Amino acid sequence: MQIGQAARASGVSAKMLRYYESIGLLGKAGRTEAGYWIYSEADVGTLRFVHRVRDLGLPLDRIKLLIGLWQDVDRASADVKRIATEHVAELRAKIRELTRMCEALEGMAAACHGDHWPKCPILDEIAEGTQGIAAPAASAKKQQPRREAPGAAAHRVNQGAT
C-alpha cells in the first residue's frame, strides 16, 4: 500500500511515518515501478505498535528496543517488563514533579488578591524565588495585607459597614 494508505491504516501521519523510517523504527519501504513508496501489512503493524507505545509516552530509544523485542520470538519477557517498569517509575517521578509545580502555583495564586492593583505576589515569588517548587504551602502563608481600592472606605461607610 502507498504511504497515505499506510498512514490511515496505522493512525500515524505520513510525515511521522517518514520520520520513523528515517530513524530506523521502520524498515525502508520498497518502491513501485512508478516510484511510489509501498508498505506491507507488517509495516502497518509496526506503525500501529509504535503509535500505541508513543501513546504510553515511551521515548524513541525504548520504542526501538521494544520493537526489537516484539520481533524477537526468543525474547525474554523480563526484558520487556524491565522497560515497562522503568518507564512507570519515570512517569511517577514526573507526576510528583508536576504535582509540586501545581501546589506551588496554587499557593502563589492563593496569596494573590487578583484585583486591579499592580502588587502581585505571584510575580514577586517568581522574581524572588524564595519558596521554589519544593515548598509550595509556605508561599500561601506569606500574604501581604490587602490594599483597598480607592474609595473603598467611603463605600463601606455608605453601605453601613465600618
Side-chain angles (χ1 to χ4, degrees), residues 62-128:
R62 287 199 181 139
I63 292 174
K64 193 175 262 193
L65 290 172
L66 285 173
I67 290 172
L69 290 167
W70 179 53
Q71 294 172 342
D72 180 1
V73 294
D74 296 324
R75 70 182 165 264
S77 64
D79 295 334
V80 178
K81 183 175 182 176
R82 180 186 45 77
I83 292 169
T85 55
E86 286 173 0
H87 187 61
V88 167
E90 290 168 4
L91 289 173
R92 292 198 188 286
K94 182 168 249 174
I95 289 167
R96 285 190 300 274
E97 181 67 17
L98 290 171
T99 299
R100 279 194 296 275
M101 289 179 200
C102 286
E103 289 170 353
L105 283 169
E106 286 171 339
M108 287 184 242
C112 181
H113 302 295
D115 54 21
H116 67 280
W117 291 99
K119 177 72 176 153
C120 180
I122 298 170
L123 294 177
D124 293 345
E125 177 59 36
I126 293 170
E128 294 168 18

